[in-house]
Amino acid sequence: MTAIALPVLSSNGSLEQYIQTVNSIPMLSQEEELELATRHQQDGDLDAAKRLVLSHLRVVVSIARGYSGYGLQQADLIQEGNIGLMKAVKRFEPTRGVRLFSFAVHWIKAEIHEFILRNWRLVRIATTKPQRKLFFNLRSMRQSLSALSEKEAFDIAQELGVKPEEVREMETRMSGQDIALMADDGDDEGFAPIDWLADSHDEPTRALERRSLDLLQSAGLEHALSSLDERSRRIIEARWLADDGGATLHELAAEFGVSAERIRQIEAKALGKMKAALASGDVINA
C-alpha cells in the first residue's frame, strides 16, 4: 500500500495539537464508507483509501490511550496504531457488511501489542500466546492494587491458560520500576548506577598483562629484525617502522641503486623471514 500523508506526529511536536487535528476530521457515514472502500478495493483508488484512514485516526488515538501504563511514549503508540489502521484499510472488504471501525480495531491493537512487546522490559518473557495474553490482561483482571492472593493468581491462571507461578512472576515484574543506568543531563548531584560499575581497564592484573604483552611484542619485533641482513633491515624499517609514513619503493631504489621491483622482492623476502622468526617461539630468549 502506497504511503498516505497523515497529520504530522513528530517526537518534538505537540501531541495535543495532533489529537485536535484528527478529532476535527469528520467521520464517514456508512454510505460514504461503503463507496470509498469499494473504489479502493475495485479500482485501487488511493485517494479513497486516504479518506478512510484519515476519518479513523481518532479511533487509533482512543485505543492507544488504553496502553498508557507500559511506560512508552503515547506518540509512538499512536504511530504504531496508525500502521495497523492502514493495514486494515488495505484488507477491508466492504461486501462483508462490517463497518471499518469494527474491522480495524484488531489490526490497530495487534500493531500496538507488537510494538510494546518489542520495546518494553518484559519482551523476553512474554513470548508465547498465553504469556502475551497474561501480559496485556493482568492489570485489568486484578481486583485491587495490592498483591495478588493465592486464589486470585489461581483464578487468573485458569482463565488465561497459564500456571499460577507465571501469574505471580508477571505481577512481580510488572510492579517493578525501571531504573535509568545513566544520570539525567544536568544532574550534578548523587550518582547513577553506571557510576558504581567497575572499570577493569586499570585493574592491576590487567595492567600487568598489557605491560607484558607490550614487552613481548617489542622483543619479538627486535628478534625478527635481528634475523635480517643490514640492507633488508633498512628497507623494512624505512617502509614499515618510520614515523613519517614510510619510504616509497622508488626512494629506496634510488638509495641502493637498484630497481623498485628489486626493492619489492627484498622486502617480500625479509617479511617472510621475519614471520618465520616470530613463529619460531624463541622470542623471549632472543
Side-chain angles (χ1 to χ4, degrees):
M1 185 174 182
T2 305
I4 297 174
L6 302 176
V8 177
L9 179 58
S10 60
S11 58
N12 57 358
S14 171
L15 179 60
E16 291 74 17
Q17 183 179 358
Y18 172 85
I19 294 175
Q20 290 177 4
T21 300
V22 300
N23 285 339
S24 67
I25 301 173
M27 293 291 290
L28 300 171
S29 67
Q30 188 170 2
E31 292 73 20
E32 290 174 323
E33 182 180 294
L34 178 61
E35 178 192 354
L36 292 170
T38 301
R39 282 165 47 191
H40 175 242
Q41 184 186 47
Q42 295 182 357
D43 305 326
D45 190 332
L46 294 182
D47 286 333
K50 177 180 177 179
R51 287 191 59 191
L52 289 171
V53 170
L54 289 174
S55 66
H56 286 78
L57 290 177
R58 65 175 70 192
V59 177
V60 177
V61 172
S62 178
I63 293 175
R65 280 175 172 165
Y67 296 91
S68 59
Y70 294 96
L72 299 173
Q73 293 294 325
Q74 192 72 15
D76 293 334
L77 295 173
I78 292 173
Q79 291 283 41
E80 294 299 318
N82 287 344
I83 295 173
L85 173 60
M86 287 188 282
K87 289 182 177 180
V89 169
K90 181 178 180 180
R91 294 166 172 80
F92 182 56
E93 298 180 11
T95 56
R96 290 180 178 259
V98 178
R99 294 295 301 269
L100 177 58
F101 172 88
S102 301
F103 180 76
V105 167
H106 163 77
W107 291 96
I108 294 169
K109 286 185 175 181
E111 288 298 319
I112 293 176
H113 284 190
E114 288 302 317
F115 175 74
I116 292 173
L117 289 172
R118 287 196 309 269
N119 292 277
W120 210 50
R121 63 183 183 272
L122 295 181
V123 62
R124 288 180 176 81
I125 69 168
T127 54
T128 66
K129 287 185 178 179
Q131 286 176 330
R132 290 188 181 201
K133 194 173 181 181
L134 172 61
F135 180 82
F136 287 108
N137 288 278
L138 181 57
R139 276 194 174 95
S140 60
M141 294 180 68
R142 59 189 306 162
Q143 298 176 2
S144 67
L145 296 177
S146 58
L148 289 176
S149 66
E150 290 294 325
K151 185 178 185 306
E152 284 182 301
F154 179 81
D155 291 342
I156 293 174
Q158 288 289 101
E159 184 171 345
L160 298 181
V162 297
K163 298 177 182 179
E165 52 266 30
E166 291 180 300
V167 175
R168 288 191 291 270
E169 179 186 5
M170 186 70 75
E171 179 199 24
T172 301
R173 291 175 180 265
M174 292 180 72
S175 62
Q177 298 293 323
D178 287 332
I179 300 175
L181 183 64
M182 305 290 291
D184 294 334
D185 293 338
D187 185 6
D188 297 327
E189 298 182 1
F191 292 90
I194 196 170
D195 296 318
W196 301 100
L197 297 180
D199 182 4
S200 60
H201 182 268
D202 293 325
E203 195 269 328
T205 57
R206 292 289 183 89
L208 289 174
E209 287 176 1
R210 290 196 303 274
R211 177 60 177 162
S212 298
L213 180 60
D214 291 342
L215 291 174
L216 184 60
Q217 290 175 336
S218 299
L221 179 60
E222 183 59 35
H223 170 62
L225 287 171
S226 67
S227 66
L228 304 178
D229 60 76
E230 185 176 345
R231 182 174 64 172
S232 297
R233 178 164 182 160
R234 164 62 185 151
I235 291 173
I236 292 299
E237 289 177 339
R239 290 277 289 159
W240 296 95
L241 303 178
D243 294 331
D244 59 359
T248 66
L249 293 175
H250 291 283
E251 289 172 342
L252 290 169
E255 178 180 334
F256 289 102
V258 296
S259 66
E261 174 59 22
R262 178 57 182 155
I263 295 295
R264 189 197 64 77
Q265 293 173 354
I266 296 172
E267 178 188 37
K269 184 177 180 180
L271 288 173
K273 192 171 184 180
M274 290 179 66
K275 183 178 179 180
L278 288 170
S280 66
D282 296 331
V283 175
I284 297 178
N285 296 325

